[in-house]
Amino acid sequence: MKCFSKYPFLSVITVFVATLLTIPAWAGMPQRQAKPVVSILGDSYSTFQGYIPEDNLSWYSTSPDRSRTDVDDVTQTWWWQLISEGGYILGKNDSYSGATVCYTGYRGEDYSDRSFITRLPRLGSPDILLIFGATNDSWARVPMGEFVYKNLTRGHYYEFRPALGKLLDSAKKMYPGTDVYFILNDGLSEAVTDAVMKECKHFDIPVIVLSNVDKKAGHPTRRGMIQIKEQVLNALQAKSM
């Protein structure tokens, strides 16, 4: 024998209330989009002691050699200003003073332990990856090599052109969905500048070409840091429009 409730409307109300209780409190509310995460792979220009991996050499610190720089606070660095003013979140900053893209360093020494290729996997999961390098390759006058893309050996990584190609190719494969940019310093050798432009075009990576950066001892001053920030931020914002 079937049993029917004397108050059917109570059953309806009970089901309605139970349904409401299962809906998350945030449902229907406008969702706030997360800020883009920016990671940096760089050299001395992007360092600051205490804000890069502990074993990485740094050019900038809170107690600098005043004959070399007037930058003495992390908030004066180009990347800190970029993150703050651009509305980003800093992911990883793996910058190493004196580091080269290739495995060859100053005086022909082996820099494979600090090369951009070696440090590339350490950058987390960024939405934007800024590679700011090639300055030391130019200054150290490393071997240029040829534009080689297949059958690379370790020996190729001691030469700038094939090493840069390896770096850019690995960056795109290692960080799918990430917007990768290469920041190119001004005042570098013609050969290095030309190689960066050609390799980035080959791998379809935008190049942010810096100009008229104020420097002391070859490194950005406080004013130079602002100039770098402005030029990089303008390029990023133009791409997002």
Side-chain angles (χ1 to χ4, degrees):
M1 180 176 178
K2 295 182 180 180
C3 180
F4 295 94
S5 170
K6 295 174 60 178
Y7 307 100
F9 68 95
L10 290 178
S11 299
V12 174
I13 292 176
T14 301
V15 172
F16 178 70
V17 171
T19 301
L20 287 178
L21 292 176
T22 62
I23 300 175
W26 46 262
M29 296 176 61
Q31 297 301 300
R32 182 179 178 183
Q33 186 170 348
K35 297 179 180 180
V37 175
V38 176
S39 285
I40 300 156
L41 181 64
D43 51 32
S44 58
Y45 279 40
S46 306
T47 61
F48 200 91
Q49 191 171 20
Y51 291 84
I52 57 175
E54 185 177 355
D55 293 334
N56 290 14
L57 297 178
S58 181
W59 177 274
Y60 297 102
S61 70
T62 55
S63 302
D65 179 347
R66 296 293 175 179
S67 67
R68 302 198 304 174
T69 184
D70 61 350
V71 175
D72 58 8
D73 191 288
V74 69
T75 62
Q76 298 162 354
T77 62
W78 72 266
W79 52 269
W80 194 97
Q81 295 177 65
L82 177 82
I83 296 298
S84 178
E85 297 180 25
Y88 302 115
I89 294 174
L90 178 63
K92 301 285 186 178
N93 181 354
D94 197 316
S95 296
Y96 197 123
S97 182
T100 47
V101 169
C102 70
Y103 284 0
T104 303
Y106 288 93
R107 301 167 297 278
E109 295 176 10
D110 190 325
Y111 275 21
S112 57
D113 64 328
R114 69 201 67 181
S115 78
F116 279 61
I117 295 173
T118 301
R119 291 180 289 118
L120 180 66
R122 308 173 185 174
L123 301 170
S125 301
D127 298 298
I128 299 172
L129 172 56
L130 301 176
I131 302 175
F132 193 173
T135 296
N136 290 298
D137 298 84
S138 178
W139 291 354
R141 299 180 181 179
V142 302
M144 292 301 297
E146 303 297 331
F147 293 104
V148 182
Y149 304 106
K150 295 181 180 179
N151 302 318
L152 292 171
T153 66
R154 181 179 175 84
H156 284 111
Y157 302 156
Y158 287 88
E159 301 172 333
F160 182 69
R161 291 190 181 103
L164 178 61
K166 169 64 176 178
L167 173 70
L168 300 180
D169 183 44
S170 296
K172 297 201 73 170
K173 292 177 178 177
M174 198 172 294
Y175 299 99
T178 296
D179 292 329
V180 181
Y181 295 82
F182 195 99
I183 304 173
L184 179 62
N185 194 11
D186 60 349
L188 303 187
S189 71
E190 182 178 350
V192 166
T193 298
D194 177 73
V196 170
M197 298 303 293
K198 288 181 178 177
E199 290 283 21
C200 286
K201 181 178 181 180
H202 180 84
F203 289 101
D204 193 27
I205 290 178
V207 183
I208 303 173
V209 182
L210 302 180
S211 62
N212 302 316
V213 176
D214 188 64
K215 301 171 184 176
K216 186 174 185 178
H219 290 72
T221 60
R222 291 183 186 182
R223 181 184 174 207
M225 290 292 191
I226 294 173
Q227 293 168 328
I228 294 175
K229 175 265 299 181
E230 290 176 344
Q231 293 178 48
V232 175
L233 185 57
N234 287 341
L236 297 183
Q237 291 179 337
K239 179 72 180 297
S240 65
M241 292 179 63

